[in-house]
Amino acid sequence: MSQQNNNLKEELIRISGVNPKKCMRCGKCSATCPAYEEMEYHPHEFVVMVENGNIEPLLNTESLYRCLTCFACVERCPRGVEPAKLVEAVRLVATRRQGANHMKADDVPAKLDEDLPQQAIVSAFRKYTK
Amino acid sequence: MQRIGVFVCWCGSNIAGTVDVQAVSDALKNEPGVVFSTNYQYMCSQAGQNMIKDAIKEYRLTGIVVCSCSPRMHEATFRKTAQAAGLNPYMVEIANIREQCSWVHKDIPTGTEKAIILGKAAVAKVNLNAPLTPGESPVTKRALVIGGGIAGIQTALDIADAGFPVDIVETKPTIGGKMAQLDKTFPTLDCAACILTPKMVDVAQNDKIRIFSYSEVQEVKGFVGNFDVKIKKKARYVNEDICTGCGACTEKCPQKNVPNEFNLGMDNRRAIYIPFAQAVPKVATIDPNACNMLKNGKCGVCAKVCAAGAIDYKQQDQIIEEKYGAIVVATGFNPISMEKFDEFAYSQSKDVITSLEFERLTNAAGPTAGKLLRPSDLEHPHTIVFVQCVGSRCAACAEKGKEYCSKICCMYTAKHAMLVRDKYPDTEVYVFYIDVRTPGKNFDEFYRRAVEEYGVHYIKGMVGKVTPEGKKLKVQGSDLIMDEQVHIDADLVVLAAAIEPDKSARPLATMLTASMDTNDFFTEAHPKLRPVESPTAGVFLSGACQGPKDIPETVSQAGAAASKVIGLLAKDKLTGNPCIASPNELMCNGCSSCERVCPYGAITYVDKEFRMPDRTTAIRRVAQVNPAVCQGCGACTVACPSGAMDLRGFASAQIIAEVDAICK
């Protein structure tokens, strides 16, 4: 693993508090994920790729913004790995790198509609604000 | 004054690498009482032992100090060496200069200094040692087996086969345990009942074996060779000696809606019942929570139809007191509760079942008479999904699952999948697995047969969600090989639930003072070298109470436990530990402090006549220790306010002398 990748990995582990080595490769996170079909990289792949230091593809994938942050994977993971927190950490690194958040908190109300689940609103705040 | 010999061991480089052994033996030469001091490469070797024997004779030694490894390793060796040379074995002291010195220090000066100090302490103690002779206690030649599953049955049969009487205590109305509930057994697929029930009958017919069914152990006192046990025989309201097991009562009882625990609540039984056709003992039992006669005195049908007149509504719980030389724990396991696994919809749908429930569904004596029908509508399922590792290998939440692998699920799931495909080729079977673990004779071949011959679909991944929708169960899972999320419309979902020790294990461990691990499995005395003995002398372990096990492994362990029990019961006398408490009667004022703290009930009081200084006699109450019961724990020596109680071999004066030598 290159030094740069290793630094990135350490940073992600620090931000998220996730220890990817606890993963036993059961795939329950991806089995439970409601946004699975929308994602290029799936929750279990985030865990494995961060562990392997293969992080650049994650920083550039749309999957970062497809994750609903519903935390089903966190709830169901039998080993307590908490993949969603890792996805969030990658997202944070990506947005910091681009120098800004995608959306301001003030922009959110305009995008709300009646059918939007409350959880998604909360997720949006988690996702798009600091 | 003692004549002490000091023997410093190098233990190859284990000790000599960090301790200057020559300096140690030189320094100890000058200690009071020491007349000989030497060092050698391996004191425990034959040559080393001969060196000790020769020195004892040549220097007329009255005590020896061996500076070597932990006394747990070789104290017994050196005591035997001393005894062979005519020295009392309790005149041997070990200074642990390996585990407590060389292994924990890195530089030679520190290690050497500490080794000398430890040696000095041992010398100081030997100066005050006195020869001790161990007492003997008799062995009650009867064994108790707690639990009547296959583990308990096999252990009891093997002990009885050696000629010793055995009692089995079983909480259920019949012996047989979990194996009686199974349909087929892996990897040979023979029917569980066909191989179990002959053994149950053997137990019933063996005149060395007594079965206390519907009973539980209430109290255990005593020690190895001499346990006093109270067994509560719960009232079953049927006279066991008269009941013929004809079953007339179980057909006529009007209370029909009691969930049948033998079929895991998937059908009903009557208030008076015999768990299954081959039950041993085959006698009826009345469920006091369901019987109208017992609850409000209105009924009495069973008494009317019983030709033998065996029904006894006034029967009371009975306490049986018996003595045993050895106790075998065989309390077994249970599947964990699935209530907390919301994602698999176990509580929402009748068609999500556990693997043990599946066993009953395919068993000819089960609720569907062996036809595989789904519980909700009794229709034949065409798509079945098996989910492995439900609650096993779960480190995230202790209340939900267990961190360990339950060991048996991979194999029984392969068995279930194979049996379904064999009987119902029109049914598609999917197995979601994380790993398939099949270490065992013919185990992996068995699993491969399920895939290659029977066409079971194994999917590497876990199920994330099961949603009941109409008559279907929507299963959403991972296929990690294909890297896709799979969706299956299933008719039946079978969960391979983790297994845990039976709930009775913990209170029983407390009664037996036997240790357990954090999962409530009984701990073995040594994980490799003493796998069927508990660290508590006289208590042995058989079957899944010690850890998850399949039937072949349980039966081998049951036999091993039996052979250990036979070895114990074959002895007429057990040599005790002479390092026990003894009171100085002149100092004892009979205050009872020691009696109150003694965990073994070894202390009693007697009135004794003493000659007083003025030549009169006086009767005083003094403590007396039962040498067969005392375990030498030393609690009484601490509690005694007048310092009258002392532990032989570990007297307060000896301990203080060691401390003084260390602090000098």
Side-chain angles (χ1 to χ4, degrees), chain B residues 371-431:
Chain B
K371 284 199 197 80
L372 181 57
L373 304 172
R374 42 186 240 159
S376 64
D377 52 13
L378 296 179
E379 273 178 29
H380 172 60
H382 291 279
T383 305
I384 304 181
V385 170
F386 289 89
V387 188
Q388 291 200 189
C389 292
V390 179
S392 298
R393 309 169 69 191
C394 173
C397 175
E399 279 124 52
K400 217 169 153 182
K402 305 287 173 185
E403 198 168 351
Y404 49 85
C405 164
S406 293
K407 199 172 190 179
I408 56 175
C409 330
C410 284
M411 283 300 286
Y412 69 58
T413 300
K415 173 188 77 177
H416 291 162
M418 193 188 284
L419 289 173
V420 171
R421 291 286 297 163
D422 185 45
K423 273 195 203 167
Y424 310 98
D426 62 327
T427 299
E428 288 301 324
V429 176
Y430 300 88
V431 177

Side-chain angles (χ1 to χ4, degrees), chain A residues 32-48:
Chain A
T32 208
C33 180
Y36 187 95
E37 300 300 342
E38 312 299 325
M39 292 171 88
E40 178 190 8
Y41 295 110
H42 305 107
H44 73 279
E45 287 162 307
F46 269 85
V47 177
V48 178

Side-chain angles (χ1 to χ4, degrees), chain B residues 17 35 69 76 93 101 107 111 118 150 153 179 249 281 336 348 364 372 378 394 407 516 526 532 584 622 641 654 664:
Chain B
V35 294
C69 52
E93 285 300 329
C101 185
D107 62 312
L118 292 172
I150 181 61
I153 288 174
M179 190 174 167
C249 53
I336 65 167
Q348 292 171 47
L372 181 57
L378 296 179
C394 173
K407 199 172 190 179
M516 299 189 119
H526 189 286
V532 298
N584 180 342
V622 290
Q654 288 174 301
K664 218 166 21 194

